[in-house]
mmCIF file of all heavy atoms in Angstrom:
data_model
loop_
_atom_site.group_PDB
_atom_site.id
_atom_site.type_symbol
_atom_site.label_atom_id
_atom_site.label_comp_id
_atom_site.label_asym_id
_atom_site.label_seq_id
_atom_site.Cartn_x
_atom_site.Cartn_y
_atom_site.Cartn_z
ATOM 1 N N GLU A 269 -4.622 18.321 -6.953
ATOM 2 C CA GLU A 269 -6.007 18.804 -6.948
ATOM 3 C C GLU A 269 -6.951 17.762 -6.341
ATOM 4 O O GLU A 269 -7.842 18.095 -5.550
ATOM 5 C CB GLU A 269 -6.445 19.161 -8.376
ATOM 6 C CG GLU A 269 -5.643 20.273 -9.014
ATOM 7 C CD GLU A 269 -5.853 21.614 -8.338
ATOM 8 O OE1 GLU A 269 -6.868 21.773 -7.634
ATOM 9 O OE2 GLU A 269 -4.991 22.507 -8.517
ATOM 10 N N GLU A 270 -6.771 16.511 -6.725
ATOM 11 C CA GLU A 270 -7.666 15.461 -6.227
ATOM 12 C C GLU A 270 -7.446 15.196 -4.737
ATOM 13 O O GLU A 270 -8.406 15.053 -3.971
ATOM 14 C CB GLU A 270 -7.475 14.176 -7.033
ATOM 15 C CG GLU A 270 -8.378 13.024 -6.610
ATOM 16 C CD GLU A 270 -9.866 13.315 -6.795
ATOM 17 O OE1 GLU A 270 -10.212 14.356 -7.395
ATOM 18 O OE2 GLU A 270 -10.685 12.495 -6.333
ATOM 19 N N TYR A 271 -6.191 15.143 -4.337
ATOM 20 C CA TYR A 271 -5.923 14.930 -2.912
ATOM 21 C C TYR A 271 -6.448 16.097 -2.081
ATOM 22 O O TYR A 271 -6.991 15.899 -0.976
ATOM 23 C CB TYR A 271 -4.426 14.739 -2.660
ATOM 24 C CG TYR A 271 -3.948 13.338 -2.953
ATOM 25 C CD1 TYR A 271 -3.086 13.079 -4.019
ATOM 26 C CD2 TYR A 271 -4.345 12.257 -2.164
ATOM 27 C CE1 TYR A 271 -2.637 11.786 -4.293
ATOM 28 C CE2 TYR A 271 -3.907 10.968 -2.430
ATOM 29 C CZ TYR A 271 -3.051 10.742 -3.488
ATOM 30 O OH TYR A 271 -2.617 9.460 -3.750
ATOM 31 N N ALA A 272 -6.310 17.302 -2.579
ATOM 32 C CA ALA A 272 -6.811 18.471 -1.854
ATOM 33 C C ALA A 272 -8.338 18.431 -1.756
ATOM 34 O O ALA A 272 -8.915 18.764 -0.714
ATOM 35 C CB ALA A 272 -6.346 19.753 -2.539
ATOM 36 N N ARG A 273 -8.989 18.025 -2.829
ATOM 37 C CA ARG A 273 -10.458 17.932 -2.816
ATOM 38 C C ARG A 273 -10.921 16.929 -1.757
ATOM 39 O O ARG A 273 -11.841 17.210 -0.976
ATOM 40 C CB ARG A 273 -10.957 17.510 -4.198
ATOM 41 C CG ARG A 273 -12.477 17.448 -4.314
ATOM 42 C CD ARG A 273 -12.908 16.934 -5.665
ATOM 43 N NE ARG A 273 -12.653 15.503 -5.799
ATOM 44 C CZ ARG A 273 -13.471 14.549 -5.322
ATOM 45 N NH1 ARG A 273 -14.589 14.868 -4.687
ATOM 46 N NH2 ARG A 273 -13.160 13.276 -5.501
ATOM 47 N N LEU A 274 -10.285 15.765 -1.727
ATOM 48 C CA LEU A 274 -10.666 14.738 -0.759
ATOM 49 C C LEU A 274 -10.332 15.160 0.672
ATOM 50 O O LEU A 274 -11.052 14.821 1.609
ATOM 51 C CB LEU A 274 -9.964 13.425 -1.108
ATOM 52 C CG LEU A 274 -10.388 12.783 -2.429
ATOM 53 C CD1 LEU A 274 -9.517 11.557 -2.727
ATOM 54 C CD2 LEU A 274 -11.860 12.391 -2.393
ATOM 55 N N ALA A 275 -9.238 15.900 0.822
ATOM 56 C CA ALA A 275 -8.869 16.386 2.156
ATOM 57 C C ALA A 275 -9.916 17.355 2.682
ATOM 58 O O ALA A 275 -10.265 17.309 3.876
ATOM 59 C CB ALA A 275 -7.498 17.055 2.104
ATOM 60 N N ARG A 276 -10.427 18.225 1.833
ATOM 61 C CA ARG A 276 -11.452 19.177 2.257
ATOM 62 C C ARG A 276 -12.734 18.460 2.658
ATOM 63 O O ARG A 276 -13.484 18.941 3.520
ATOM 64 C CB ARG A 276 -11.718 20.198 1.147
ATOM 65 C CG ARG A 276 -10.575 21.201 0.962
ATOM 66 C CD ARG A 276 -10.982 22.334 0.034
ATOM 67 N NE ARG A 276 -11.169 21.877 -1.340
ATOM 68 C CZ ARG A 276 -10.224 21.850 -2.262
ATOM 69 N NH1 ARG A 276 -8.991 22.254 -1.957
ATOM 70 N NH2 ARG A 276 -10.476 21.445 -3.489
ATOM 71 N N LEU A 277 -12.974 17.296 2.055
ATOM 72 C CA LEU A 277 -14.143 16.484 2.420
ATOM 73 C C LEU A 277 -13.853 15.596 3.631
ATOM 74 O O LEU A 277 -14.771 14.936 4.144
ATOM 75 C CB LEU A 277 -14.548 15.597 1.233
ATOM 76 C CG LEU A 277 -15.050 16.316 -0.024
ATOM 77 C CD1 LEU A 277 -15.239 15.311 -1.156
ATOM 78 C CD2 LEU A 277 -16.354 17.051 0.265
ATOM 79 N N ASN A 278 -12.596 15.566 4.056
ATOM 80 C CA ASN A 278 -12.144 14.673 5.127
ATOM 81 C C ASN A 278 -12.517 13.223 4.820
ATOM 82 O O ASN A 278 -12.907 12.454 5.705
ATOM 83 C CB ASN A 278 -12.734 15.091 6.485
ATOM 84 C CG ASN A 278 -11.988 14.457 7.655
ATOM 85 O OD1 ASN A 278 -10.782 14.249 7.598
ATOM 86 N ND2 ASN A 278 -12.723 14.139 8.710
ATOM 87 N N ASP A 279 -12.387 12.850 3.554
ATOM 88 C CA ASP A 279 -12.761 11.507 3.104
ATOM 89 C C ASP A 279 -11.536 10.598 3.191
ATOM 90 O O ASP A 279 -10.828 10.362 2.213
ATOM 91 C CB ASP A 279 -13.286 11.561 1.669
ATOM 92 C CG ASP A 279 -14.001 10.280 1.260
ATOM 93 O OD1 ASP A 279 -13.719 9.227 1.870
ATOM 94 O OD2 ASP A 279 -14.824 10.333 0.324
ATOM 95 N N ARG A 280 -11.294 10.073 4.387
ATOM 96 C CA ARG A 280 -10.112 9.254 4.630
ATOM 97 C C ARG A 280 -10.137 7.975 3.791
ATOM 98 O O ARG A 280 -9.103 7.521 3.297
ATOM 99 C CB ARG A 280 -10.007 8.909 6.117
ATOM 100 C CG ARG A 280 -9.844 10.108 7.025
ATOM 101 C CD ARG A 280 -9.728 9.682 8.486
ATOM 102 N NE ARG A 280 -8.537 8.886 8.704
ATOM 103 C CZ ARG A 280 -7.342 9.392 9.009
ATOM 104 N NH1 ARG A 280 -7.193 10.700 9.127
ATOM 105 N NH2 ARG A 280 -6.310 8.601 9.213
ATOM 106 N N GLU A 281 -11.307 7.394 3.642
ATOM 107 C CA GLU A 281 -11.417 6.152 2.878
ATOM 108 C C GLU A 281 -11.037 6.368 1.422
ATOM 109 O O GLU A 281 -10.313 5.554 0.827
ATOM 110 C CB GLU A 281 -12.837 5.599 2.982
ATOM 111 C CG GLU A 281 -13.016 4.261 2.301
ATOM 112 C CD GLU A 281 -14.410 3.671 2.509
ATOM 113 O OE1 GLU A 281 -15.142 4.157 3.400
ATOM 114 O OE2 GLU A 281 -14.765 2.734 1.765
ATOM 115 N N ALA A 282 -11.513 7.461 0.841
ATOM 116 C CA ALA A 282 -11.200 7.745 -0.568
ATOM 117 C C ALA A 282 -9.718 8.081 -0.739
ATOM 118 O O ALA A 282 -9.096 7.696 -1.739
ATOM 119 C CB ALA A 282 -12.066 8.888 -1.078
ATOM 120 N N ILE A 283 -9.142 8.793 0.218
ATOM 121 C CA ILE A 283 -7.706 9.103 0.153
ATOM 122 C C ILE A 283 -6.892 7.817 0.224
ATOM 123 O O ILE A 283 -5.938 7.615 -0.531
ATOM 124 C CB ILE A 283 -7.304 10.063 1.290
ATOM 125 C CG1 ILE A 283 -7.955 11.430 1.092
ATOM 126 C CG2 ILE A 283 -5.783 10.207 1.364
ATOM 127 C CD1 ILE A 283 -7.759 12.386 2.256
ATOM 128 N N ASN A 284 -7.283 6.937 1.133
ATOM 129 C CA ASN A 284 -6.603 5.659 1.272
ATOM 130 C C ASN A 284 -6.685 4.854 -0.029
ATOM 131 O O ASN A 284 -5.702 4.246 -0.467
ATOM 132 C CB ASN A 284 -7.205 4.866 2.424
ATOM 133 C CG ASN A 284 -6.508 3.536 2.642
ATOM 134 O OD1 ASN A 284 -5.345 3.493 3.039
ATOM 135 N ND2 ASN A 284 -7.214 2.444 2.385
ATOM 136 N N GLU A 285 -7.836 4.868 -0.639
ATOM 137 C CA GLU A 285 -8.028 4.134 -1.889
ATOM 138 C C GLU A 285 -7.167 4.736 -3.005
ATOM 139 O O GLU A 285 -6.577 4.012 -3.817
ATOM 140 C CB GLU A 285 -9.495 4.161 -2.294
ATOM 141 C CG GLU A 285 -9.838 3.324 -3.521
ATOM 142 C CD GLU A 285 -9.617 1.835 -3.310
ATOM 143 O OE1 GLU A 285 -9.670 1.367 -2.154
ATOM 144 O OE2 GLU A 285 -9.377 1.140 -4.310
ATOM 145 N N LEU A 286 -7.081 6.054 -3.049
ATOM 146 C CA LEU A 286 -6.334 6.728 -4.101
ATOM 147 C C LEU A 286 -4.837 6.464 -3.995
ATOM 148 O O LEU A 286 -4.150 6.298 -5.008
ATOM 149 C CB LEU A 286 -6.597 8.238 -4.042
ATOM 150 C CG LEU A 286 -5.948 9.114 -5.119
ATOM 151 C CD1 LEU A 286 -6.396 8.678 -6.519
ATOM 152 C CD2 LEU A 286 -6.288 10.586 -4.882
ATOM 153 N N LEU A 287 -4.336 6.389 -2.786
ATOM 154 C CA LEU A 287 -2.889 6.216 -2.629
ATOM 155 C C LEU A 287 -2.449 4.755 -2.643
ATOM 156 O O LEU A 287 -1.268 4.453 -2.775
ATOM 157 C CB LEU A 287 -2.398 6.901 -1.344
ATOM 158 C CG LEU A 287 -2.837 6.365 0.021
ATOM 159 C CD1 LEU A 287 -1.977 5.214 0.513
ATOM 160 C CD2 LEU A 287 -2.786 7.495 1.060
ATOM 161 N N THR A 288 -3.408 3.827 -2.504
ATOM 162 C CA THR A 288 -3.061 2.410 -2.418
ATOM 163 C C THR A 288 -2.710 1.833 -3.782
ATOM 164 O O THR A 288 -3.430 2.030 -4.766
ATOM 165 C CB THR A 288 -4.235 1.611 -1.811
ATOM 166 O OG1 THR A 288 -4.459 2.058 -0.475
ATOM 167 C CG2 THR A 288 -3.917 0.118 -1.796
ATOM 168 N N ASN A 289 -1.606 1.118 -3.810
ATOM 169 C CA ASN A 289 -1.196 0.380 -5.003
ATOM 170 C C ASN A 289 -1.166 -1.100 -4.622
ATOM 171 O O ASN A 289 -0.201 -1.578 -4.036
ATOM 172 C CB ASN A 289 0.174 0.849 -5.494
ATOM 173 C CG ASN A 289 0.572 0.232 -6.820
ATOM 174 O OD1 ASN A 289 0.235 -0.912 -7.101
ATOM 175 N ND2 ASN A 289 1.296 0.989 -7.634
ATOM 176 N N ARG A 290 -2.225 -1.835 -4.929
ATOM 177 C CA ARG A 290 -2.342 -3.224 -4.478
ATOM 178 C C ARG A 290 -1.322 -4.152 -5.128
ATOM 179 O O ARG A 290 -0.928 -5.161 -4.543
ATOM 180 C CB ARG A 290 -3.764 -3.724 -4.701
ATOM 181 C CG ARG A 290 -4.759 -3.063 -3.750
ATOM 182 C CD ARG A 290 -6.187 -3.577 -3.921
ATOM 183 N NE ARG A 290 -7.046 -3.023 -2.894
ATOM 184 C CZ ARG A 290 -7.540 -1.784 -2.916
ATOM 185 N NH1 ARG A 290 -7.257 -0.991 -3.944
ATOM 186 N NH2 ARG A 290 -8.296 -1.332 -1.932
ATOM 187 N N VAL A 291 -0.906 -3.814 -6.329
ATOM 188 C CA VAL A 291 0.123 -4.623 -6.997
ATOM 189 C C VAL A 291 1.430 -4.534 -6.220
ATOM 190 O O VAL A 291 2.098 -5.543 -5.969
ATOM 191 C CB VAL A 291 0.318 -4.171 -8.452
ATOM 192 C CG1 VAL A 291 1.499 -4.908 -9.089
ATOM 193 C CG2 VAL A 291 -0.959 -4.417 -9.259
ATOM 194 N N VAL A 292 1.779 -3.322 -5.814
ATOM 195 C CA VAL A 292 3.000 -3.118 -5.040
ATOM 196 C C VAL A 292 2.906 -3.830 -3.688
ATOM 197 O O VAL A 292 3.865 -4.466 -3.229
ATOM 198 C CB VAL A 292 3.275 -1.612 -4.838
ATOM 199 C CG1 VAL A 292 4.406 -1.396 -3.827
ATOM 200 C CG2 VAL A 292 3.627 -0.950 -6.163
ATOM 201 N N GLU A 293 1.741 -3.746 -3.051
ATOM 202 C CA GLU A 293 1.557 -4.403 -1.751
ATOM 203 C C GLU A 293 1.676 -5.920 -1.874
ATOM 204 O O GLU A 293 2.271 -6.579 -1.012
ATOM 205 C CB GLU A 293 0.205 -4.027 -1.155
ATOM 206 C CG GLU A 293 0.140 -2.597 -0.652
ATOM 207 C CD GLU A 293 -1.179 -2.291 0.045
ATOM 208 O OE1 GLU A 293 -1.988 -3.228 0.259
ATOM 209 O OE2 GLU A 293 -1.401 -1.110 0.372
ATOM 210 N N LYS A 294 1.122 -6.469 -2.934
ATOM 211 C CA LYS A 294 1.206 -7.914 -3.147
ATOM 212 C C LYS A 294 2.655 -8.345 -3.340
ATOM 213 O O LYS A 294 3.105 -9.363 -2.780
ATOM 214 C CB LYS A 294 0.365 -8.319 -4.354
ATOM 215 C CG LYS A 294 0.282 -9.818 -4.589
ATOM 216 C CD LYS A 294 -0.647 -10.141 -5.757
ATOM 217 C CE LYS A 294 -0.728 -11.653 -5.984
ATOM 218 N NZ LYS A 294 -1.640 -11.984 -7.123
ATOM 219 N N LYS A 295 3.412 -7.567 -4.110
ATOM 220 C CA LYS A 295 4.823 -7.874 -4.323
ATOM 221 C C LYS A 295 5.606 -7.746 -3.015
ATOM 222 O O LYS A 295 6.507 -8.535 -2.735
ATOM 223 C CB LYS A 295 5.418 -6.930 -5.372
ATOM 224 C CG LYS A 295 4.933 -7.193 -6.787
ATOM 225 C CD LYS A 295 5.589 -6.223 -7.775
ATOM 226 C CE LYS A 295 5.134 -6.498 -9.199
ATOM 227 N NZ LYS A 295 5.739 -5.528 -10.163
ATOM 228 N N LEU A 296 5.236 -6.750 -2.212
ATOM 229 C CA LEU A 296 5.912 -6.546 -0.927
ATOM 230 C C LEU A 296 5.759 -7.761 -0.028
ATOM 231 O O LEU A 296 6.736 -8.260 0.548
ATOM 232 C CB LEU A 296 5.327 -5.301 -0.246
ATOM 233 C CG LEU A 296 5.890 -4.846 1.093
ATOM 234 C CD1 LEU A 296 5.610 -3.358 1.305
ATOM 235 C CD2 LEU A 296 5.296 -5.619 2.272
ATOM 236 N N LEU A 297 4.541 -8.278 0.094
ATOM 237 C CA LEU A 297 4.295 -9.428 0.968
ATOM 238 C C LEU A 297 4.990 -10.680 0.457
ATOM 239 O O LEU A 297 5.515 -11.475 1.247
ATOM 240 C CB LEU A 297 2.787 -9.657 1.109
ATOM 241 C CG LEU A 297 2.009 -8.536 1.814
ATOM 242 C CD1 LEU A 297 0.511 -8.812 1.791
ATOM 243 C CD2 LEU A 297 2.485 -8.359 3.249
ATOM 244 N N ALA A 298 5.030 -10.848 -0.860
ATOM 245 C CA ALA A 298 5.734 -11.999 -1.425
ATOM 246 C C ALA A 298 7.240 -11.884 -1.176
ATOM 247 O O ALA A 298 7.910 -12.870 -0.846
ATOM 248 C CB ALA A 298 5.454 -12.093 -2.924
ATOM 249 N N ARG A 299 7.758 -10.682 -1.310
ATOM 250 C CA ARG A 299 9.180 -10.458 -1.061
ATOM 251 C C ARG A 299 9.528 -10.700 0.410
ATOM 252 O O ARG A 299 10.560 -11.294 0.742
ATOM 253 C CB ARG A 299 9.543 -9.025 -1.464
ATOM 254 C CG ARG A 299 11.017 -8.691 -1.379
ATOM 255 C CD ARG A 299 11.304 -7.327 -1.970
ATOM 256 N NE ARG A 299 10.624 -6.256 -1.261
ATOM 257 C CZ ARG A 299 9.659 -5.496 -1.810
ATOM 258 N NH1 ARG A 299 9.276 -5.673 -3.055
ATOM 259 N NH2 ARG A 299 9.078 -4.550 -1.105
ATOM 260 N N LEU A 300 8.662 -10.254 1.298
ATOM 261 C CA LEU A 300 8.870 -10.475 2.724
ATOM 262 C C LEU A 300 8.888 -11.959 3.066
ATOM 263 O O LEU A 300 9.705 -12.410 3.874
ATOM 264 C CB LEU A 300 7.765 -9.782 3.536
ATOM 265 C CG LEU A 300 7.911 -8.292 3.791
ATOM 266 C CD1 LEU A 300 6.626 -7.752 4.384
ATOM 267 C CD2 LEU A 300 9.086 -8.006 4.714
ATOM 268 N N ARG A 301 7.982 -12.699 2.464
ATOM 269 C CA ARG A 301 7.935 -14.140 2.719
ATOM 270 C C ARG A 301 9.258 -14.800 2.325
ATOM 271 O O ARG A 301 9.799 -15.624 3.067
ATOM 272 C CB ARG A 301 6.770 -14.773 1.944
ATOM 273 C CG ARG A 301 6.612 -16.273 2.170
ATOM 274 C CD ARG A 301 5.412 -16.797 1.409
ATOM 275 N NE ARG A 301 4.183 -16.193 1.894
ATOM 276 C CZ ARG A 301 3.510 -16.614 2.959
ATOM 277 N NH1 ARG A 301 3.973 -17.650 3.656
ATOM 278 N NH2 ARG A 301 2.402 -16.022 3.341
ATOM 279 N N HIS A 302 9.774 -14.410 1.177
ATOM 280 C CA HIS A 302 11.036 -14.989 0.702
ATOM 281 C C HIS A 302 12.197 -14.576 1.608
ATOM 282 O O HIS A 302 13.045 -15.403 1.982
ATOM 283 C CB HIS A 302 11.306 -14.544 -0.730
ATOM 284 C CG HIS A 302 12.559 -15.098 -1.316
ATOM 285 N ND1 HIS A 302 12.720 -16.433 -1.612
ATOM 286 C CD2 HIS A 302 13.746 -14.490 -1.637
ATOM 287 C CE1 HIS A 302 13.930 -16.634 -2.096
ATOM 288 N NE2 HIS A 302 14.575 -15.471 -2.117
ATOM 289 N N LYS A 303 12.239 -13.297 1.963
ATOM 290 C CA LYS A 303 13.316 -12.813 2.830
ATOM 291 C C LYS A 303 13.287 -13.496 4.196
ATOM 292 O O LYS A 303 14.329 -13.887 4.731
ATOM 293 C CB LYS A 303 13.210 -11.298 3.012
ATOM 294 C CG LYS A 303 13.634 -10.482 1.816
ATOM 295 C CD LYS A 303 13.543 -9.000 2.134
ATOM 296 C CE LYS A 303 14.054 -8.143 0.985
ATOM 297 N NZ LYS A 303 14.011 -6.698 1.305
ATOM 298 N N ALA A 304 12.091 -13.610 4.774
ATOM 299 C CA ALA A 304 11.983 -14.226 6.097
ATOM 300 C C ALA A 304 12.433 -15.675 6.064
ATOM 301 O O ALA A 304 13.040 -16.176 7.017
ATOM 302 C CB ALA A 304 10.543 -14.124 6.605
ATOM 303 N N LEU A 305 12.145 -16.363 4.955
ATOM 304 C CA LEU A 305 12.587 -17.750 4.799
ATOM 305 C C LEU A 305 14.100 -17.842 4.699
ATOM 306 O O LEU A 305 14.742 -18.652 5.373
ATOM 307 C CB LEU A 305 11.936 -18.357 3.553
ATOM 308 C CG LEU A 305 12.351 -19.788 3.195
ATOM 309 C CD1 LEU A 305 11.973 -20.747 4.315
ATOM 310 C CD2 LEU A 305 11.720 -20.220 1.886
ATOM 311 N N VAL A 306 14.682 -16.970 3.873
ATOM 312 C CA VAL A 306 16.136 -17.010 3.669
ATOM 313 C C VAL A 306 16.880 -16.538 4.909
ATOM 314 O O VAL A 306 17.811 -17.195 5.389
ATOM 315 C CB VAL A 306 16.534 -16.148 2.452
ATOM 316 C CG1 VAL A 306 18.050 -16.045 2.334
ATOM 317 C CG2 VAL A 306 15.944 -16.734 1.176
ATOM 318 N N TYR A 307 16.471 -15.404 5.474
ATOM 319 C CA TYR A 307 17.186 -14.844 6.620
ATOM 320 C C TYR A 307 16.975 -15.683 7.880
ATOM 321 O O TYR A 307 17.810 -15.656 8.782
ATOM 322 C CB TYR A 307 16.721 -13.415 6.906
ATOM 323 C CG TYR A 307 16.952 -12.434 5.780
ATOM 324 C CD1 TYR A 307 16.286 -11.220 5.742
ATOM 325 C CD2 TYR A 307 17.832 -12.721 4.742
ATOM 326 C CE1 TYR A 307 16.489 -10.302 4.722
ATOM 327 C CE2 TYR A 307 18.034 -11.830 3.701
ATOM 328 C CZ TYR A 307 17.354 -10.623 3.701
ATOM 329 O OH TYR A 307 17.543 -9.729 2.673
ATOM 330 N N GLY A 308 15.876 -16.414 7.923
ATOM 331 C CA GLY A 308 15.568 -17.194 9.116
ATOM 332 C C GLY A 308 16.289 -18.520 9.189
ATOM 333 O O GLY A 308 16.233 -19.219 10.207
ATOM 334 N N GLN A 309 16.990 -18.902 8.116
ATOM 335 C CA GLN A 309 17.717 -20.163 8.097
ATOM 336 C C GLN A 309 19.127 -19.993 8.647
ATOM 337 O O GLN A 309 19.662 -18.888 8.671
ATOM 338 C CB GLN A 309 17.830 -20.686 6.653
ATOM 339 C CG GLN A 309 16.503 -21.029 6.018
ATOM 340 C CD GLN A 309 16.712 -21.561 4.621
ATOM 341 O OE1 GLN A 309 16.743 -22.766 4.406
ATOM 342 N NE2 GLN A 309 16.880 -20.665 3.665
ATOM 343 N N THR A 310 19.711 -21.089 9.042
ATOM 344 C CA THR A 310 21.128 -21.073 9.356
ATOM 345 C C THR A 310 21.895 -21.233 8.055
ATOM 346 O O THR A 310 21.417 -21.837 7.096
ATOM 347 C CB THR A 310 21.495 -22.212 10.321
ATOM 348 O OG1 THR A 310 21.080 -23.462 9.763
ATOM 349 C CG2 THR A 310 20.815 -22.011 11.657
#
């Protein structure tokens, strides 16, 4: 219902905010840093 309401308003910013999980994104970047360090070594 909420996504449909925002879609009808074409409110891209609000949709982006609703779907964003900053905790997950923070963990993703930390995980990438570790992987790049490990995989980049001999």
Side-chain angles (χ1 to χ4, degrees):
E269 298 293 340
E270 181 63 8
Y271 279 112
R273 183 184 72 82
L274 294 174
R276 288 190 292 270
L277 295 173
N278 197 34
D279 194 336
R280 298 181 64 88
E281 184 175 345
I283 293 173
N284 182 67
E285 185 64 26
L286 183 59
L287 67 84
T288 297
N289 187 326
R290 290 182 174 78
V291 173
V292 170
E293 288 185 7
K294 185 176 180 180
K295 289 181 179 178
L296 182 157
L297 295 175
R299 185 172 62 245
L300 279 170
R301 181 178 297 277
H302 181 68
K303 286 182 176 182
L305 177 62
V306 173
Y307 299 163
Q309 296 181 97
T310 56

